[in-house]
Amino acid sequence: MMRMNFKRHIFDELVQWKKSSNAKPLILRGARQVGKTTLVRSFGESYTHFIELNLEKAKMLVS
């Protein structure tokens, strides 16, 4: 239950950010595998247009 409450809290913070008249670009950072991408994609559904940029450094490919 703690995990759901935490996600709900963060989502509510994003909604407040969206409602702000002086909202700056949103950058979401954090540890790996904690749900950042899922959260952003879910939040993006509230927009008509949504662009997701993943600036994670790609691992070097070795052939």
Side-chain angles (χ1 to χ4, degrees):
M1 188 60 107
M2 169 75 168
R3 181 175 232 171
M4 270 311 228
N5 288 336
F6 186 67
K7 284 183 181 178
R8 176 66 182 181
H9 173 74
I10 293 173
F11 196 88
D12 289 346
E13 291 288 325
L14 292 177
V15 170
Q16 290 302 313
W17 169 83
K18 180 181 178 180
K19 289 179 181 178
S20 174
S21 62
N22 62 345
K24 306 264 191 226
L26 177 65
I27 298 175
L28 194 61
R29 296 178 56 198
R32 294 174 43 92
Q33 303 292 313
V34 295
K36 295 179 301 293
T37 300
T38 302
L39 176 69
V40 168
R41 288 178 179 165
S42 176
F43 181 66
E45 292 175 1
S46 67
Y47 285 89
T48 304
H49 302 287
F50 169 71
I51 298 173
E52 174 189 336
L53 297 176
N54 185 341
L55 301 176
E56 181 70 25
K57 294 179 184 176
K59 293 181 181 180
M60 291 187 58
L61 299 175
V62 178
S63 54

